[in-house]
Amino acid sequence: MVAYILKRVAGSIAILLLIMVVTFLLMNAIPGSPFLTEKSTPEQIALAEAKYGLDKPLYVQLWNYIKNYCVGDLGTSLKMQEGTPVKDIIFHQGKFALSIKLGACALVIAVLIGIPLGCIAAYYRGSWIDGLLRVLTTVGVAVPTFVLAALLLVVFSVNLNWFPTLSGSLPDAKSYVLPVISLSFYYTCYIAKLMRTSMLDAIHQDYIRTAKAKGVKTHILVLKHALRNSLIPVITYLGPVLAGIITGSFVVESTFSIPGLGKYFVQCVLSRDYPVIMATTVVLSALVIFMMLIVDITYKLVDPRITLTAKEE
Amino acid sequence: MSDERKKLVEVESLRKYFTVKGNKLFEKKYVQAVESVSLFIYQGETLGLVGESGCGKTTLGRTIIRLYEPTSGRIVYDGTPIFDSEQKIRLNMLKYRRKMQIIFQDPSASLDPRMTVGEIVGEALDIHHLTQNKNERRDRICSLLSEVGLNTEHANRFPHEFSGGQQQRIGIARALAVDPEFIVCDEPISALDVSIQSQIVNMLEDLQREKGLTYLFIAHDVSVVRHISDRIGVMYLGSLVELAESYELCNHPIHPYTQTLLSAVPLPDPEKSRARQRILLEGDIPSPMNPPSGCRFHTRCPYATERCKAETPVFREYSPGHYAACHLLEQGGSDR
Ligand SMILES: Nc1ncnc2c1ncn2[C@@H]1O[C@H](COP(=O)(O)OP(=O)(O)OP(=O)(O)O)[C@@H](O)[C@H]1O
Ligand code: SF4
Ligand SMILES: [Mg+2]
């Protein structure tokens, strides 16, 4: 197991490095310069680029950038908060914490609602309950987050005035409701669908019949035998869910005017604030990769068949 | 002669249809997996059940112990009707799960991968409150495991750590845990290596003798069951076509389908085997979703007549203890 974890950690670091290089190269491939505005003269641009080391050869820039990241220096912002270290912007101004709070709520809701919904649909398969849930979850995975967010905002905040239009820094429980729903709806529905399929698959296995032959009651059959076996695909899906929730938060934070990392990231992309874009990308990627690692390890722990092979390695 | 013997299981006109989706939207189709099967099983005997793959043997076995809810018909266990579609009897099975057990075709699929062997065997003990305390429970699990030739240390391992033969032993220990009277053995050896098949069969026979068990022993090949069965039933496309004492059935089959089935079995004597004409069936097995009218075998039967297409033959006793369903026999053609 230790060997397995070490192997996975090494792999994760390699992936993170790759992401850093690719982000860097992509940033450079985009035409234009952060200092390119209508008013600036070529001399001014050259001056500004020299100041931030953007005139050096590409590989030197790349090397410096990776070197600095390894010691925790994420650079300084070029535009909106000129001269402020990116690290401070991400971690100290509460942006990261705000996004994490929002994302964590969405993740928890998606899991806590998606799994029971999937179980209910599987249990009542073919009935009107299953039909209703099927329609709901299909709509849920088809509607894009930005449409849902805008719709919720217009209906419940603007028209009905039940919730605040500007969620701000999420001061109270009420301000969480719409952003969390927007962010988690797709994943709730997706997890429900996944759970239903996986549950139905489990229900038709012979070991469920074995349990039935023993005299196990139906609800225990579903909750103990079927659920434990059908959770595995859902656990593996949690890594991608997290990645999706992070990208989704860009949209949701912008829609509900939440000053989180996502909203800031969008602004930075629009103004080509390279250091901030790269730092945010790397930090978020690191987060996703870390969660995937946790998910994978949990997965091995949950399924005895896999724990064993890991031990044998 | 055998009529004084007690009938432990009686099945009358048992049907099991599966609902499946058709090609068209909202269209429903039925798989007629078991169609009007009537049989009984004497206490302490082994009734063999044979037939080609997909003919409904598994479904029949599972429906008899009500792992599948019957579509219609009547099941009587030890004199008590546990299911009767006409009188609307649907007994709670909990009590009967202690008496009727099943050993599955695929041992690895039938064991919950997330439970240890001890938990798998112990769960049945807990449900039926068969042990008073933890020590007694542990002892019982150990004795069950050793009864099927496993080690007591095996109790803490997971099913995937065992070979197919050992998994089937776990499945048997699990079935025995509740001290059953009747066990459906659904092709318990077909998924196993030839080398261990006879070990398992011998073990099942020993267990039967020790505990006075009654078996419904399913196989797709007569050669597997002819030695261990007292009587053998033959199924074709969901229906029972012939049932008789083992020796009688193997040597004097009266139904055309049984005759073809047996002609495919090699005889011990090569001379005889060559001399005997092999009857080959034409065509494929029809789908149980759309079975032929009348006698279900008429599309492939060499003796089929117009009557066979129109009218379903009745399953009846032609000589003492020898049942079959074929129009030819009614016309006195049983001398073939
Ligand atoms: N749950 C189900 N839903 C729909 N159809 C089914 C179901 N179970 C079995 N069937 C169908 O019923 C028929 C009989 O299947 P069954 O498994 O009883 O056959 P079998 O004689 O045991 O075959 P084998 O020798 O391969 O085990 C088959 O056509 C099968 O496709
Ligand atoms: S009833 Fe007709 S078709 Fe069916 S087995 Fe007898 S002869 Fe053949
Ligand atoms: Mg079968």
Side-chain angles (χ1 to χ4, degrees), chain B residues 58 105 186-187:
Chain B
T58 297
Q105 195 164 350
D186 185 3
E187 302 198 37

PDB file of all heavy atoms in Angstrom, chain B residues 58 105 186-187, ligand 3:
ATOM      1  N   THR B  58     -32.504 -22.688 -14.855  1.00  0.00           N
ATOM      2  CA  THR B  58     -32.193 -21.787 -13.745  1.00  0.00           C
ATOM      3  C   THR B  58     -33.450 -21.070 -13.277  1.00  0.00           C
ATOM      4  O   THR B  58     -33.732 -20.983 -12.078  1.00  0.00           O
ATOM      5  CB  THR B  58     -31.137 -20.758 -14.191  1.00  0.00           C
ATOM      6  OG1 THR B  58     -29.948 -21.449 -14.527  1.00  0.00           O
ATOM      7  CG2 THR B  58     -30.850 -19.751 -13.098  1.00  0.00           C
ATOM      8  N   GLN B 105     -24.968 -21.375 -10.062  1.00  0.00           N
ATOM      9  CA  GLN B 105     -24.199 -21.818 -11.217  1.00  0.00           C
ATOM     10  C   GLN B 105     -22.792 -21.223 -11.217  1.00  0.00           C
ATOM     11  O   GLN B 105     -21.824 -21.903 -11.471  1.00  0.00           O
ATOM     12  CB  GLN B 105     -24.972 -21.336 -12.460  1.00  0.00           C
ATOM     13  CG  GLN B 105     -24.579 -21.963 -13.759  1.00  0.00           C
ATOM     14  CD  GLN B 105     -25.651 -21.701 -14.825  1.00  0.00           C
ATOM     15  OE1 GLN B 105     -26.735 -21.216 -14.546  1.00  0.00           O
ATOM     16  NE2 GLN B 105     -25.340 -22.030 -16.052  1.00  0.00           N
ATOM     17  N   ASP B 186     -27.947 -25.586  -8.841  1.00  0.00           N
ATOM     18  CA  ASP B 186     -28.042 -25.085 -10.210  1.00  0.00           C
ATOM     19  C   ASP B 186     -26.693 -25.200 -10.913  1.00  0.00           C
ATOM     20  O   ASP B 186     -25.853 -24.328 -10.789  1.00  0.00           O
ATOM     21  CB  ASP B 186     -28.517 -23.624 -10.187  1.00  0.00           C
ATOM     22  CG  ASP B 186     -28.752 -23.087 -11.591  1.00  0.00           C
ATOM     23  OD1 ASP B 186     -28.606 -23.855 -12.551  1.00  0.00           O
ATOM     24  OD2 ASP B 186     -29.074 -21.886 -11.718  1.00  0.00           O
ATOM     25  N   GLU B 187     -26.516 -26.262 -11.639  1.00  0.00           N
ATOM     26  CA  GLU B 187     -25.248 -26.542 -12.323  1.00  0.00           C
ATOM     27  C   GLU B 187     -24.064 -26.188 -11.431  1.00  0.00           C
ATOM     28  O   GLU B 187     -23.216 -25.375 -11.801  1.00  0.00           O
ATOM     29  CB  GLU B 187     -25.173 -25.743 -13.641  1.00  0.00           C
ATOM     30  CG  GLU B 187     -26.338 -26.051 -14.578  1.00  0.00           C
ATOM     31  CD  GLU B 187     -26.060 -25.622 -16.018  1.00  0.00           C
ATOM     32  OE1 GLU B 187     -24.911 -25.761 -16.454  1.00  0.00           O
ATOM     33  OE2 GLU B 187     -26.999 -25.172 -16.687  1.00  0.00           O
TER      34      GLU B 187
HETATM   35 MG    MG C   3     -28.805 -21.753 -15.804  1.00  0.00          MG
END
